[in-house]
Amino acid sequence: MIIGFLCGDTVLSINIHDTYYVIAYFHLTILISLLFGVIGLGYWIMQKGNRRLSKWLSWTHVGLTFGGAFAVLILSQLYRGDIMEYEFNNNLNLTITLLLFIIILGQIIFPINIIHGLLKRGKQNQ
């Protein structure tokens, strides 16, 4: 998120076949901040409401979110500028796209965990 605030007017360009998607880093930063805020608020409300969430669902959600984002960040640094490396960059695009898809699917775990916590009984004395 710091990169988004420091980059100013720079944009992220995503090319999918003949279509270019251009997103300002600042807007992407705001979107990610809102997403993490909503997720954090959900976990906080469940804790204050004495509801027990599944530990493995929580760890899976957090691991996919942060681990996947870290993996995409690392893989995006491996792009090669040479025209001869087209196949490598194409495979790298596919890998990053699959990772992003897994991250998005991992976000489905969050509402499942919240619903699971609401349907279970409150925290028992520990």
Side-chain angles (χ1 to χ4, degrees):
M1 291 186 320
I2 292 172
I3 292 171
F5 286 120
L6 295 178
C7 285
D9 294 336
T10 57
V11 294
L12 172 68
S13 298
I14 301 170
N15 179 12
I16 301 176
H17 298 290
D18 291 337
T19 306
Y20 282 92
Y21 297 98
V22 180
I23 304 167
Y25 276 116
F26 182 74
H27 294 138
L28 187 62
T29 301
I30 291 173
L31 179 67
I32 291 172
S33 299
L34 287 173
L35 175 69
F36 283 147
V38 167
I39 290 171
L41 184 65
Y43 281 125
W44 181 76
I45 288 173
M46 294 301 286
Q47 181 183 12
K48 290 298 179 183
N50 285 335
R51 296 294 185 173
R52 183 186 298 197
L53 295 174
S54 171
K55 285 186 180 183
W56 70 272
L57 283 175
S58 295
W59 281 110
T60 302
H61 174 244
V62 170
L64 286 175
T65 301
F66 288 108
F70 184 69
V72 167
L73 179 68
I74 296 298
L75 288 176
S76 67
Q77 300 303 315
L78 297 177
Y79 275 102
R80 297 187 181 164
D82 298 341
I83 194 76
M84 302 302 285
E85 299 294 333
Y86 177 75
E87 186 175 333
F88 177 80
N89 284 344
N90 204 16
N91 291 334
L92 194 59
N93 277 339
L94 177 64
T95 304
I96 291 173
T97 303
L98 289 175
L99 274 173
L100 288 173
F101 185 67
I102 290 170
I103 292 170
I104 291 170
L105 284 178
Q107 301 313 302
I108 296 172
I109 295 173
F110 174 68
I112 290 172
N113 197 8
I114 296 292
I115 292 169
H116 180 262
L118 290 173
L119 295 178
K120 281 178 66 175
R121 300 178 81 172
K123 284 186 178 178
Q124 298 171 358
N125 295 333
Q126 296 180 351

